Amino acid sequence: MAASRCPRVRLWRWRRSPLRRRSDLVEAWVVLCAWLFALVGALFAGLAAADAVSHSAEEQRVGSRKVTAVLVKDAEDPGASRVTTDHLVWAAVRWTDPDGAVRTDEARVPPKMHAGSKVDVWTDRHGAVVNEPLSGAEILLHSIAGGVLAAGGAGGVVLGCAWAVRLGLERRRMDQWAAEWERMDTPWGWKTG
């Protein structure tokens, strides 16, 4: 003989019942509002973050230009280089701006290049060496990643706050239960627990 299972009553907090407490209804509203705010907030936060990342990368791409520079010292000279993770070394380079000003800065170049070699570097509007701007596919990837992270963070914050509110409601509900049991026990002069 199989054990009988109680049928699960869906949305019981929303139905009128003498067993439903005010805190049950408050909890139902908290959960509903939290999910709605989490979904809508995550959507807007994700879209805003993706747009901001895309806009920033496009600004950097528009503001950068490629110039041909000349290596000042040999790239393998330990005094002139620092090794990076992409196996390029830092070395001093010199180039002439379109306005005729000669500039010198450090750029990442392939190792073992000799002084006087020409290398392509990217500069910003002020003439400082910057990283190569992102391609269109890289901008899209960064935008999606930023949007997903922002959406997850926004949704997580809202749901975390709802969880904290639910914990407070549960604590209050347990205190009410304890008080009611105390009231029920004392009229007869004995304790049940």
Side-chain angles (χ1 to χ4, degrees), residues 66-151:
K66 192 184 220 182
V67 296
T68 301
V70 176
L71 209 58
V72 175
K73 294 182 184 177
D74 289 346
E76 57 194 1
D77 182 11
S81 66
R82 296 184 308 266
V83 178
T84 61
T85 57
D86 56 359
H87 303 293
L88 297 175
V89 294
W90 287 94
V93 294
R94 183 177 51 240
W95 71 96
T96 304
D97 270 346
D99 60 359
V102 176
R103 296 196 179 260
T104 305
D105 202 351
E106 284 194 340
R108 297 183 328 177
V109 298
K112 299 183 181 178
M113 288 187 73
H114 297 290
S117 300
K118 293 186 178 191
V119 293
D120 289 330
V121 295
W122 288 87
T123 62
D124 63 8
R125 293 177 184 166
H126 306 292
V129 174
V130 295
N131 290 331
E132 182 178 348
L134 300 175
S135 67
E138 290 171 328
I139 290 173
L140 179 64
L141 180 64
H142 284 228
S143 297
I144 290 171
V148 167
L149 287 173

